[in-house]
Amino acid sequence: MRRIRLILFVSAAVLTLTLYIVEVRFARADVPDTTTTAQGLRAWEQVYSVLTHPRCINCHTATDYPQQGDDRRRHVANVVRGGAEGKGVPGLNCAGCHQESNADSTGVPGGHNWHLAPLSMRWQDINDRPLSSAAVCRAVTDRSKNHNLDGPALLKHHEEEALVKWAWNPGRRPDGTMRTLPPITHEQFVAATRQWVEAGTPCPAGR
Amino acid sequence: MPTYQLNINGERREVTVDSSTPLLWVLREDLKMTGTKFGCGISACGACTVHLAGIATRSCIVPISHVGDRPIVTIEGIGQDAVGRAVQDAWVEKDVVQCGYCQSGQIMAAVALLKHTPKPTEKNIEESMGGNICRCATYPRIREAIKSAAAQIK
């Protein structure tokens, strides 16, 4: 009798352990960790605050021209987007003014490969109003629109891309004052992006 | 002050100037190459356009320290190649110039356009020349001259 009880006890224990393991694995595979998702969404809002700052969004337009300044006015000299590369046109190429680095003595910003973001990465509407957090998030995470960047590649882009980093070293305006910076540091921006990526790049609901 | 070795119109030139000096001032004041004009000084009018490594560049806002070893072509040297010569000939043929102040910049922009797009459309011309302002409003003749030059370029 004692032997039967022992066998029943061990069998129950094994069954319980098996069910626990299956449940935990199932939960990890298919059920989002709500805490992590919430943290990821909060991190995304920090990322969004940078993406919609004038230093970034001025070249993520929906129109045929870039913008400039904190008031996001149309770029001087009738500059236009040009072809798919967004580098302007032959007589008005971005590189015709924007050199490899900032020209603080003349107030012209510069950085490697200065160009407009592609239209698929527009973060504002045709009336120059920033898109919602949800809409920008959907665009940024859509690999058919973002040069096929997955989460880790987006993190690398935010961490290393020269024009992204330029936003925190934008140089001086023609009047000698410093251009404004995004609301958080580059380190905080990268940390927020990492947290968002680790949470699975969640996007807010809504339009 | 630092000394810079420049390649201008195929010739080596040396200047000793403050690193923040715009290329335009080096051309005009130090090298006495006054064909390139000062217009607005803020890259808004195109009068100061030169070619820097083949790119139409606003020389008024490019500090000399940013030029490096890239070749510079100015209005004084643009007639050395076939496209530049065709554009200059077309400018004469169509009698484009009125006061003439902006025209060196107009020609430099037109050459940049035709080197990249030998047979430009109206839109190509409008967009590429859109940053070069002419106080005399010679725009119709500029367009005709560009088309004429395009027809001459093989």
Side-chain angles (χ1 to χ4, degrees), chain A residues 161-200:
Chain A
E161 165 59 35
L163 286 182
V164 173
K165 291 166 72 175
W166 170 86
W168 285 271
N169 178 32
R172 295 183 181 278
R173 303 182 182 101
D175 67 5
T177 58
M178 297 298 295
R179 289 189 177 83
T180 60
L181 303 180
I184 57 177
T185 67
H186 183 243
E187 290 74 21
Q188 290 168 326
F189 176 61
V190 171
T193 304
R194 181 175 285 111
Q195 192 171 27
W196 173 63
V197 167
E198 287 175 354

Side-chain angles (χ1 to χ4, degrees), chain B:
Chain B
M1 287 192 290
T3 297
Y4 296 92
Q5 307 289 337
L6 303 173
N7 175 349
I8 305 177
N9 300 329
E11 294 181 13
R12 184 174 161 173
R13 308 293 295 267
E14 184 177 288
V15 293
T16 300
V17 294
D18 187 274
S19 61
S20 66
T21 310
L23 171 60
L24 174 63
W25 296 115
V26 172
L27 293 171
R28 290 184 57 84
E29 301 296 321
D30 295 273
L31 300 174
K32 307 303 179 191
M33 299 174 71
T34 54
T36 306
K37 304 302 184 192
F38 174 86
C40 63
I42 56 169
S43 70
C45 78
C48 67
T49 304
V50 300
H51 291 184
L52 187 55
I55 295 173
T57 298
R58 306 296 168 99
S59 63
C60 71
I61 46 84
V62 177
I64 195 69
S65 59
H66 284 54
V67 172
D69 59 2
R70 292 178 289 174
I72 301 160
V73 176
T74 69
I75 191 66
E76 289 90 348
I78 199 65
Q80 291 172 6
D81 79 21
V83 175
R85 173 48 58 191
V87 170
Q88 289 184 321
D89 289 346
W91 243 248
V92 173
E93 174 203 344
K94 298 295 181 185
D95 198 15
V96 170
V97 175
Q98 189 163 315
C99 89
Y101 195 82
C102 71
Q103 296 296 329
S104 57
Q106 301 280 3
I107 288 172
M108 298 305 287
V111 174
L113 166 62
L114 291 173
K115 279 177 175 282
H116 182 273
T117 311
K119 303 299 177 192
T121 62
E122 289 283 347
K123 185 168 187 253
N124 293 148
I125 296 172
E126 181 180 324
E127 289 185 339
S128 221
M129 303 299 294
N132 286 76
I133 295 170
C134 175
R135 182 66 182 82
C136 307
T138 60
Y139 303 113
R141 296 202 294 275
I142 288 172
R143 282 172 179 266
E144 290 308 307
I146 290 172
K147 292 176 192 170
S148 177
Q152 299 303 315
I153 296 168
K154 301 298 180 197

